Amino acid sequence: MSRSAPLARPALLARLALLLASGALTACGGGVHGTPGGSGLRDPYFPKAGNGGYDVTHYGLDLAYDPDTSRLSGTATLTARATQDLSAFDLDLEGLDVEKVTVGGDTARWNRTGQELTVRPHDDLDEGRTFRVTVRYSGTPKTITDPDGSEEGWMETEDGAVALGEPTGSMAWFPGNHHPSDKASYDLTITVPEGLQAVSNGELTASRTAGGRTTSHWHTAEPMASYLATVAIGEYDIHRTTTSDGLPVHTAVDPAEADASRKVLAQIPAVMTWAQDTFGPYPFSSTGAIVDRRGDAGYALETQNRPFFPGAPDTGTLVHELAHQWFGDSVTPKTWRDMWLNEGFATYAEWLWAEDHGGDSAQETFDALYDHGEDDYEDLWDFPPGKPSSAAHISDSPVYLRGAMVLHRIRQTVGDAAFFALLRDWPTTHRHGNADTDDFTSYVEQLAPDKDFAPIWDDWLYGEGKPAKPGP
Ligand code: TRP
Ligand code: ZN
């Protein structure tokens, strides 16, 4: 029987209308014209972050900074692949003056609106094509105030500056696709006045001093989300060593924090060994820490390879930021809604470290939080970790603590053997990639198909209010 489908026609027409509206069918000179890539990736919390239409594979940042003038200048060279036919594309850049833009070696037109730097290449870019864009820029980089009132971006310190990027601060110091879903490798070359150091992610591959200025080259081979990129400029005591299995450890400590930091930083090799036993092979080619002065920033951050600390950290904070290297840095959230996958795991790592080193068991920590967590964290039950109430709350207690409680509820449900297998397998499965909360819940479900996780997801991960006390 023929099914000449009257119903299909309106659908077809609607599709055609959509195509026409999007400009996709506008023929021109025998070719099909590209369209603009879009000014954001529709992140549920930061809709303007990132851009559509391309994927960055490499950032080459060639920069100079002088703390005396607070002036940053340089050229960013991005290698990217077009994911659609592009007539134009956006980069995120907040502040700074753009002097010249090229695409594929040709000068390109650009204009700026807010954080969007819109680039119009001389010729359209075909889908699938790899292209190179350079942006020459300079100025005094900005400190950005987050929706929660904390400061990020470019921050001047006592003796230099530090760049901290979570969630959107990296657009204050280099143009890019500033969303965690687009990871890339990096080469950063930075020139600072002689006598100062510049410390970044990855490994230091070259350093030379000439004419009163020191230039350092840092190479990050493994994919990195731009919010984890950093550069710290100032006076630092630099120590380089290796762990027992040969992993380079590179620490940079502000001399004012040297005494207070010595003991805790000496624990890095032991924390790394413990973390590898617990979470599986370390995903990066070096580790370490950057310690600036208390007051140089309001929080620590899991900058890739070498977390940043404002003042000497305690052991728990060191464990937290090093655990993020697996959870956040290697397995990166697809959107900012998935923050609890970073903070829940990093917090649970602190609980496990305590459990394994003569402190409270994770069960005791969980029980204490359940019974009277509100006394110390009055917002603990304000919203569920899987759905923060707004961008101003993505780093609040429900994301960290109730996020860790979700993991503990899974441990209670599947038992220790399966749970500790999960702690190793999850970061292995998504190594150097991105994952969201649905990826995680379906992963847990296939791990233990005989268990019912619905109550954990419904009450602990997504439910409003304080969940009922878990049974014995
Ligand atoms: N991720 C950092 C940590 O837990 C904390 C942090 C700093 C943060 N800035 C942020 C969290 C912005 C969310 C958003 O170590
Ligand atoms: Zn954290």
Side-chain angles (χ1 to χ4, degrees), residues 166-167 299-302 320-321 324 339 343 394-395 400:
E166 190 177 28
Y299 49 81
L301 188 64
E302 62 269 27
H320 180 109
E321 304 306 339
H324 268 308
M339 264 301 284
E343 301 306 343
I394 63 167
S395 47
Y400 283 68

Side-chain angles (χ1 to χ4, degrees), residues 250-329:
H250 191 126
T251 58
V253 180
D254 187 300
E257 293 292 336
D259 286 343
S261 301
R262 203 159 288 122
K263 232 175 119 187
V264 65
L265 295 188
Q267 290 186 289
I268 290 176
V271 173
M272 292 300 295
T273 301
W274 172 85
Q276 297 211 63
D277 287 346
T278 313
F279 308 129
Y282 179 62
F284 303 119
S285 41
S286 65
T287 184
I290 300 168
V291 181
D292 253 322
R293 293 187 212 189
R294 210 161 290 276
D296 282 344
Y299 49 81
L301 188 64
E302 62 269 27
T303 43
Q304 194 154 304
N305 305 89
R306 36 200 69 69
F308 173 87
F309 302 96
D314 56 22
T315 303
T317 305
L318 179 69
V319 168
H320 180 109
E321 304 306 339
L322 290 177
H324 268 308
Q325 303 299 313
W326 282 258
F327 306 104
D329 295 19

Side-chain angles (χ1 to χ4, degrees), residues 13 22 52 55 68 82 124 128 145 173 179 187 219 240-241 264 272 275 300 334 341 345 353 422 448:
L13 281 173
S22 75
D55 185 64
D68 285 342
D124 283 10
T145 301
W173 64 287
H179 189 264
D187 281 278
H219 175 66
R240 301 170 77 169
T241 174
V264 65
M272 292 300 295
K334 275 184 191 162
L341 288 172
F345 273 109
W353 173 271
L422 176 158

Side-chain angles (χ1 to χ4, degrees), residues 341-430:
L341 288 172
N342 288 13
E343 301 306 343
F345 273 109
T347 302
Y348 202 74
E350 294 179 64
W351 299 5
L352 283 177
W353 173 271
E355 175 170 300
D356 287 348
H357 294 85
D360 289 349
S361 67
Q363 182 65 48
E364 287 167 332
T365 305
F366 178 95
D367 289 340
L369 263 179
Y370 187 89
D371 291 339
H372 36 81
E374 307 85 325
D375 299 350
D376 291 326
Y377 311 97
E378 56 178 35
D379 61 340
L380 183 59
W381 308 111
D382 280 6
F383 60 84
K387 205 171 178 301
S389 49
S390 75
H393 296 287
I394 63 167
S395 47
D396 288 359
S397 321
V399 173
Y400 283 68
L401 299 171
R402 193 168 154 186
M405 293 176 98
V406 170
L407 297 175
H408 193 71
R409 291 289 295 116
I410 295 168
R411 180 177 174 185
Q412 291 174 327
T413 305
V414 301
D416 275 8
F419 182 73
F420 284 96
L422 176 158
L423 287 183
R424 299 175 60 93
D425 292 351
W426 168 253
T428 304
T429 303
H430 293 282

